[in-house]
Amino acid sequence: MGFGRARGLSEPIRERVIAMSKRHQTFVCQNCGAAYGRWQGKCEACGEWNSMVEEGTDTGVGARPAAPGRAPRKGRIVALEALAGEAHEAPRLPSGLPELDRVTGGGLVRGSVLLLGGDPGIGKSTLLIQAAAALARTGHRAVYISGEEAVAQVRMRAERLGLGDAKVELAAETAVEDIIATLSQGKTPRLVVIDSIQTMWTDGVDSAPGTVTQVRGSAQALIRFAKRSGATVILVGHVTKDGQIAGPRVVEHMVDAVLSFEGEGSHQFRILRAVKNRFGPTDEIGVFEMTGLGLREVANPSELFLSERDLGSPGTAVFAGIEGTRPLLVEIQALVAPTSLGTPRRAVVGWDQSRLAMVLAVLEAHCGIRLGGHDVYLNVAGGLRIVEPAADLAAAAALVSSLANSPLPADAVYFGEVSLSGAVRPVAQAAARLKEAQKLGFNRAVMPEAVRDEAQSGLAVTMVGALVNLVGDIAARRNGGREPPRSFDREDG
Ligand code: TYD
Ligand code: MG
């Protein structure tokens, strides 16, 4: 709006129009942080509805323009360095929780900032107070700042966890400038936990606490502190499904590593996963068990995930998987039942929906199985989420076993990728999978043909070249080889 248009207006209105046009309004999506000049119902960047909030002129850290009339600052000369040079291995400090170290890639890196995301109540505060206590016990300075709970609450939890004697320094504080001033005093802390970043606010930004701009500004200030001081800072971030609170999404690209703490509410297992990691791999997982005495590290997750097996019931198959560098056996459960609906249900927990659709399509197209009249449910036991394509064969075995009402051998593990042609493709690290299965007392493995050479193990190995062969075997096992169920109208018998 130009000032010229205000010329014909009465004096007070004219002044107001000019003032309005001078004040630059910014609407910031609270979901992804995209900024717009005017309000709109839907964010074009992330597609979220109704997420715009008007924020001050300062749309982000460093966005504040120099005051008009002031001469631009002369730049300071920084020393440039050659790319080739001594590459120091990032100095790491073991946190005292080996499962956390496994996920971060070997420990806490000096001056790095981690974001720990997860649903409310999943155990983020518990994990971090345990990590802080473990570190404090080894003689390092660890500070835990809670913006959500009072010091007494944090202390009470620590006492319940048996960590009352650890020398963790606590504060209930939300003002970032005060926190940084406090941390800058005395010996530099080795670990600073900020629980949570959504509760923090900084003077440098004039938006309301909890907005994306405040979250970003606070994170920026804390990151600057970490880089300057060499302390490792862990920020806790809540993830809400409806994006009501400023999501930590915007913080994700600012930090060095993003960890996500996951688990099904009803299960006691908790999985720590690296979503992003500048200093290590992103495929490692840490496994914890939530007990009455806090989080217990699970050094051998396969044992845990297989501890509640329904031996001898149809529809379950043990998948020999790999998570990062660690083999992991987990039970895949399937239920295939006649549907009462026009469109049969396809529900899956812990696995990819489209992967299930693909396996079902292959079973229909290449194995003569009709599933159009059946509901299909697939579940990965223990609340684990599997992303490996190697789980195809185990999922298919569980599905066919349920449909045929034919239990799979209890001492067998399954792995292999199923291609659209119905062939079973080899997968990486077969030897490690077999070794883990043998260690846990399994006697047989059903796996792709092409990995024959690798399969030097004490297990009896069944090679499957095509999914149709496996279907035939399972159907034949049914009730000692009596007639196959009606859904198996296989042409070749
Ligand atoms: P908390 O760490 O407060 O979760 P977050 O910080 O992610 O919101 O954990 C809360 C849940 O953990 C709560 O439901 C109770 C459970 N819990 C235990 O089962 N045992 C324990 O020893 C503790 C401390 C918590
Ligand atoms: Mg908490």
Side-chain angles (χ1 to χ4, degrees):
M1 176 190 306
F3 289 4
R5 274 181 58 194
R7 206 168 288 147
L9 301 169
S10 71
E11 199 55 25
I13 296 180
R14 185 170 162 236
E15 261 166 34
R16 208 164 343 136
V17 170
I18 292 173
M20 266 171 65
S21 55
K22 273 185 185 162
R23 210 178 101 229
H24 183 73
Q25 289 174 317
T26 310
F27 293 88
V28 179
C29 170
Q30 299 301 298
N31 189 45
C32 69
Y36 298 89
R38 60 186 175 80
W39 189 88
Q40 51 195 63
K42 184 183 178 185
C43 174
E44 280 156 21
C46 69
E48 187 72 20
W49 285 93
N50 216 5
S51 60
M52 295 294 155
V53 166
E54 185 187 348
E55 297 192 3
T57 43
D58 189 0
T59 53
V61 174
R64 185 172 293 184
R70 196 194 289 167
R73 189 171 72 92
K74 218 170 164 200
R76 184 173 57 88
I77 295 164
V78 293
L80 300 173
E81 295 195 28
L83 181 58
E86 249 181 280
H88 293 287
E89 177 60 16
R92 294 176 184 275
L93 179 71
S95 65
L97 296 180
E99 289 294 298
L100 177 63
D101 293 342
R102 172 190 289 278
V103 178
T104 54
L108 305 173
V109 176
R110 247 177 216 292
S112 69
V113 181
L114 287 80
L115 175 69
L116 175 68
D119 292 332
I122 202 77
K124 299 181 294 297
S125 306
T126 309
L127 176 69
L128 293 178
I129 194 76
Q130 285 184 241
L135 205 69
R137 282 201 174 134
T138 57
H140 296 277
R141 186 176 176 211
V143 181
Y144 187 101
I145 311 278
S146 179
E148 309 199 325
E149 293 163 298
V151 168
Q153 281 175 294
V154 178
R155 203 178 274 151
M156 216 159 69
R157 180 192 288 126
E159 247 154 51
R160 199 151 68 79
L161 301 176
L163 306 170
D165 61 322
K167 287 198 176 57
V168 179
E169 294 167 49
L170 298 179
E173 191 49 68
T174 54
V176 169
E177 277 72 26
D178 296 350
I179 292 171
I180 291 177
T182 312
L183 296 176
S184 307
Q185 263 195 341
K187 199 174 128 207
T188 304
R190 196 58 187 84
L191 173 68
V192 178
V193 175
I194 304 287
D195 189 359
S196 65
I197 187 65
Q198 273 102 356
T199 56
M200 295 295 139
W201 63 276
T202 165
D203 298 335
V205 175
D206 53 8
S207 310
T211 56
V212 150
T213 311
Q214 272 295 358
V215 169
R216 188 167 42 188
S218 304
Q220 191 77 289
L222 290 162
I223 290 168
R224 261 200 309 267
F225 165 75
K227 304 284 170 214
R228 199 182 61 225
S229 67
T232 301
V233 174
I234 304 186
L235 308 172
V236 172
H238 292 301
V239 186
T240 53
K241 286 198 185 70
D242 48 274
Q244 280 289 33
I245 315 173
R249 281 258 107 117
V250 285
V251 183
E252 279 181 20
H253 2 263
M254 294 160 46
V255 297
D256 297 306
V258 180
L259 310 181
S260 123
F261 206 32
E262 305 165 356
E264 295 289 317
S266 51
H267 288 290
Q268 71 271 41
F269 313 119
R270 298 284 182 272
I271 312 284
L272 186 66
R273 211 181 267 280
V275 182
K276 158 185 170 177
N277 195 350
R278 285 186 186 150
F279 306 115
T282 53
D283 51 2
E284 291 286 352
I285 63 166
V287 184
F288 297 86
E289 187 183 4
M290 182 60 96
T291 69
L293 291 173
L295 290 160
R296 189 178 72 79
E297 294 188 84
V298 179
N300 192 342
S302 300
E303 265 169 27
L304 188 76
F305 286 119
L306 294 178
S307 60
E308 295 161 11
R309 286 183 67 198
D310 295 335
L311 289 175
S313 56
T316 65
V318 175
F319 166 51
I322 299 275
E323 288 285 345
T325 55
R326 180 161 57 175
L328 184 66
L329 302 192
V330 59
E331 189 180 74
I332 294 188
Q333 306 163 345
L335 177 64
V336 180
T339 185
S340 53
L341 304 165
T343 313
R345 288 204 60 166
R346 304 281 183 254
V348 53
V349 176
W351 204 42
D352 189 9
Q353 184 90 42
S354 51
R355 208 79 212 167
L356 172 67
M358 195 205 83
V359 169
L360 293 178
V362 172
L363 285 173
E364 294 222 16
H366 298 291
C367 309
I369 291 180
R370 306 273 167 265
L371 292 162
H374 287 81
D375 288 335
V376 174
Y377 302 90
L378 194 85
N379 178 38
V380 177
L384 195 71
R385 189 163 50 81
I386 297 180
V387 288
E388 258 197 300
D392 293 352
L393 193 65
L399 290 165
V400 175
S401 160
S402 173
L403 178 69
N405 197 22
S406 157
L408 300 171
D411 62 345
V413 295
Y414 295 78
F415 62 89
E417 182 176 347
V418 172
S419 74
L420 284 176
S421 65
V424 180
R425 298 245 170 266
V427 294
Q429 306 198 50
R433 298 172 201 266
L434 293 173
K435 204 168 141 217
E436 176 80 356
Q438 193 177 13
K439 204 170 87 191
L440 283 151
F442 287 83
N443 300 316
R444 292 185 237 188
V446 181
M447 57 193 257
E449 245 163 21
V451 287
R452 199 182 297 265
D453 297 342
E454 261 196 272
Q456 300 293 334
S457 76
L459 300 185
V461 169
T462 308
M463 307 280 185
V464 209
L467 190 56
V468 68
N469 301 339
L470 177 70
V471 172
D473 288 350
I474 296 172
R477 284 174 53 87
R478 182 179 180 255
N479 303 334
R482 268 179 279 142
E483 105 291 1
R486 220 161 335 121
S487 293
F488 285 85
D489 32 355
R490 296 185 43 207
E491 298 87 90
D492 56 359

